[in-house]
Amino acid sequence: MKKTLIFGAMAAAGLAAGAVSAGTMDDVKARGTLKCGSNEGLAGFAAPDANGVWNGFDVSLCRAIAAAVLGDPQAVEFVPLTSQTRFTALAAGEVDVLIRNSTWTYSRDTDLKLDFKGVNYYDGQGFMVQKSLGVSSAKELDGATVCIQTGTTTELNLADFFRVNNISYEPVPVATNAEGQQQYLAGACDVYTTDISGLAATRATFENPGDHVILPEVVSKEPLGPVVRHGDNEWGDIVGWTLNLLIAAEELGITSANVAELAAAPTANPEVNRILGTEGELGAMMGLDKDWAVRVISAVGNYGEVFERNIGEATPVGLARGLNAQWTNGGLLYAPPFR
Amino acid sequence: MAAMSAPPREAFRLSQLLYDARYRSLTIQVIASILIMLLLVELVNNTVTNLAALGKDISFGFLWTTAGYDINQQIIPFTSQDTHARAALVGILNTLVVAVLGCILATIIGVLVGVLRLSKNWLVSRLMGVYVEAMRNTPLLIWILIVFAVMTEATPQPREFREGGSASMILWDSVAISNRGVYIPRPVWGEGSGLVVAVFLLSVIGIFFLRAYARRRQEATGDQLPVLWMSLGLFFLPALLAFFALGRPIGLELPELGGFNFTGGIQVRNSFIALWLALSLYTSAFIAENVRGGILAISKGQTEASFALGLRPNRTMQLVILPQALRVIIPPLISQYLNLTKNSSLAIAVGYMDVRSTLGGITINQTGRELEGMLLLGIFYLITSLIISSFMNLYNSNVKLKER
């Protein structure tokens, strides 16, 4: 009986592990769709609209990769994953790439055998409380009840923050952002904590967003980025350089509006020419054709366009560029050269 | 011909393994077990190879590293600096608490509903029928979520209990029902409280002796003692006397609103209440059916015979029907207890920190040791179930038909 159980578990793991042997790029091409692990629903980052079409900041990166590899930004199958299941799903080959507000940490990169291929959003953990509580600093939260998504880095940061400041709290673990939102609004917890971008996105969906404040403390560094399985370097290159392309395109002034015009004939800027395939063979080096960048930019636009369209200050989420501005504007976005 | 005059005890030939009915089954069993072994070896080998290909080894060292997360309901002290193993232990204790309390409440409700369903009162029996069918035929997870939603949405927030708020505490300001849980008074053990507890335990043991004595006396002389009243008296009086004689050493710490939450008292969290109630209500429906089946299994003749001997209905139930019905009820009751214990792993749905949420949830997630964590989890549930069923089997052998 006991043996059966052990072997059953091993069999399950064995079968799951067996599925990820071939190169991910070949799998994606053979399947004709990209399986993108995404959030179960976080406004502005990844959420289906009224027609069931997924939209958002993270979703755009999935679509960009699909446009690069398959030529069709719509050829993406979005697999909603909870914070608990995401890495297991990726490791088991259920998704090709995980773009789900996942923080790049040492242990995930090494021990979990995952590869983070860059940062698409520089975030930090914050706290949201109701304005009527009259709290102005996270250090005043002694004894508060805190809703926290279980299985996240924020769970560990939270424990550290309260321990270091020598104040107590009561954690209320929730499985998803939606559940956390419901608990917080029902008043079952005083504080909701997650990445500040997530707090802003959640607050944007509230009936009265003005009744809630995000406290000034940023208690952690949360570089969020796309994740692939360790060891499949060709696929990792494609994911990483698609992200770099979006960032470089903004820096070089390539937009969805002017990309066709810039790609029609070589321009005065050699890097633009190399990216858009009018000079050199950069696409072939990754196993793609030379128009891959044109397809990506015309499908989703550059990083700045993606940001402004989904989470920028004109949207309900209303995030400022902050750290996520180009390095030329005092931000941290810095794509390596396309050469 | 040599073959025809062969002696009856001829030498063993290899072909007999296939053609001789005496050996054939043995051959088939040996071949089948070799095939099963090969399959298992292949599975283990495949797992290990594939894990190695993913760069993952199998190691339980993660259990001794720092957990880094906090757990709200702790029966033993736990901080984020303790190990994953201790986090697992905290989770195990939380699982056991909800399982034990769930089994007790499910049994009480189940027996009540099962007996009432046999009531001659049409309304009562139909109502119980509706209860059983509604509980049995909907998924447990739905009941957990319903109870949880009611507890969080329909109860007031702690701040409503402030001056001028719309909520107030009940039972002489000792119990507060809020959307974060029910806050109840906590006993404060002062000096001499150990003596009171000791007196209480002694009187409980005394009740058992009293009952044994009453039975012997009745068998010898036919006189009946008022056992119920004497037991009740023994239960309360000595402990109360000791309590007041020692100057009321056991006090109560009432919950008080301070800061964001109530402080003092014991917080019974909503997640616990939701899980406990839903598990009990759900399982009680199955137990009710077991009880009803057990009672119906005793033939009407038993009742009639007992009436003919002059026993009153409640004595008939107590002395004739129930002892026989228990034999039918106990074995399926064991599997209901096991079900309840295993179903408690749905705790994650409401954020109750049982072993599935700590070891099987956060720990796995923070360390990436899915296979190891799930193996440990499986072994824990297996061992727990085996212990429960062995205890229940012990009880079952106590009540089952004694063949003399």
Side-chain angles (χ1 to χ4, degrees), chain A residues 13-27:
Chain A
L15 291 175
V20 294
S21 49
T24 311
M25 165 111 115
D26 297 334
D27 289 348

Side-chain angles (χ1 to χ4, degrees), chain A residues 84 113 145 169-171 190, chain B residues 55 70 72 180 261 269 365:
Chain A
Q84 278 216 15
K113 304 294 175 197
T145 305
Y169 73 108
E170 151 105 13
D190 303 300
Chain B
D70 283 301
N72 49 17
R180 290 172 194 178
N261 286 314
R269 287 174 181 76
N365 218 277

